């Protein structure tokens, strides 16, 4: 029995959920998201509650995943998602040039990145980056792409990391 899949999603005021074929559309105050769900899982909308059912116990995993994805869509159109990144290293800095994010992280050239549609990037200080949007997947993906430009290394801890990320440090070489 999928405990996550059996939970009911309660819709906040101003949020509507509709289904057309396999596509689920969630509309809210911050925008609209559409996602395809597995045709095996049935979605039921009763007033301000959304529930999901599966035909048999063979589909427990997709049952819980489908419910979690739709719940993330509901949270996204009401509150939105945000990821904060921090640049650690001497001379490492970020800045916005128009709609492009420009990173100076120890390479011979600055790295320019363009945010995908629906994603907002802010640089509150030259060592902090904030990625926000309504899609949890897109926000996390773009934040991971920024982090991948210069992942934190374990010896000095330099690189781009998430704000709450812990980088395990290693001991360097020892002399005789």
């Amino acid at each position: 029995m999928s405990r996550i899949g059996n939970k009911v999603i309660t819709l906040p005021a101003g949020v509507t959920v509709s289904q057309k074929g396999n596509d689920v559309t969630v509309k809210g105050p911050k925008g609209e998201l559409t996602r395809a769900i597995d045709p095996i899982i049935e979605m039921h909308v009763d007033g301000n509650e959304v529930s999901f059912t599966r035909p048999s116990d063979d589909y427990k995993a997709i049952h819980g995943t489908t419910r979690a994805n739709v719940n993330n869509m509901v949270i996204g159109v009401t509150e939105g998602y945000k990821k904060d990144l921090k640049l650690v290293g001497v001379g490492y800095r970020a800045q916005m040039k128009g709609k492009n994010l420009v990173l100076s992280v120890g390479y011979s050239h600055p790295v320019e990145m363009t945010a995908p549609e629906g994603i907002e990037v802010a640089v509150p200080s030259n060592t902090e980056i904030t990625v926000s949007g309504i899609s949890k997947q897109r926000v996390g993906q773009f934040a991971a792409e920024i982090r991948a430009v210069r992942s934190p290394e374990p010896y000095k801890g330099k690189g781009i990391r998430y704000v709450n990320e812990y980088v395990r440090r290693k001991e360097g070489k020892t002399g005789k």
Side-chain angles (χ1 to χ4, degrees), residues 30-52:
K30 289 198 175 230
E32 177 180 333
L33 290 172
T34 302
R35 183 183 195 109
I37 63 169
D38 198 302
I40 292 170
I41 305 300
E42 292 180 24
M43 184 175 89
H44 310 285
V45 180
D46 303 318
N48 70 337
E49 291 186 342
V50 181
S51 60
F52 299 90

Side-chain angles (χ1 to χ4, degrees), residues 90-115:
V90 177
Y92 285 17
R93 64 182 181 277
Q95 63 186 32
M96 293 299 292
K97 220 179 242 181
K99 293 194 178 232
N100 291 342
L101 174 67
V102 180
L103 300 170
S104 300
V105 286
Y107 295 120
S108 61
H109 60 282
V111 179
E112 282 197 34
M113 301 182 80
T114 305

Side-chain angles (χ1 to χ4, degrees), residues 5-136:
N6 288 330
K7 286 185 178 178
V8 176
I9 299 172
T10 304
L11 300 176
V15 176
T16 59
V17 175
S18 59
Q19 184 176 14
K20 185 176 183 182
N22 294 337
D23 293 337
V24 175
T25 303
V26 180
K27 294 180 186 175
K30 289 198 175 230
E32 177 180 333
L33 290 172
T34 302
R35 183 183 195 109
I37 63 169
D38 198 302
I40 292 170
I41 305 300
E42 292 180 24
M43 184 175 89
H44 310 285
V45 180
D46 303 318
N48 70 337
E49 291 186 342
V50 181
S51 60
F52 299 90
T53 56
R54 63 177 184 265
S56 70
D57 277 352
D58 295 337
Y59 305 103
K60 284 182 190 180
I62 196 68
H63 185 208
T65 301
T66 302
R67 188 252 178 220
N69 286 338
V70 173
N71 190 47
N72 288 339
M73 291 166 65
V74 170
I75 293 169
V77 298
T78 54
E79 301 166 20
Y81 288 99
K82 184 173 94 166
K83 288 266 188 185
D84 296 320
L85 295 118
K86 178 171 65 171
L87 281 72
V88 177
V90 177
Y92 285 17
R93 64 182 181 277
Q95 63 186 32
M96 293 299 292
K97 220 179 242 181
K99 293 194 178 232
N100 291 342
L101 174 67
V102 180
L103 300 170
S104 300
V105 286
Y107 295 120
S108 61
H109 60 282
V111 179
E112 282 197 34
M113 301 182 80
T114 305
E117 192 175 320
I119 300 298
E120 296 173 17
V121 180
V123 182
S125 73
N126 62 0
T127 59
E128 295 175 5
I129 303 169
T130 301
V131 181
S132 59
I134 61 173
S135 172
K136 185 175 188 177

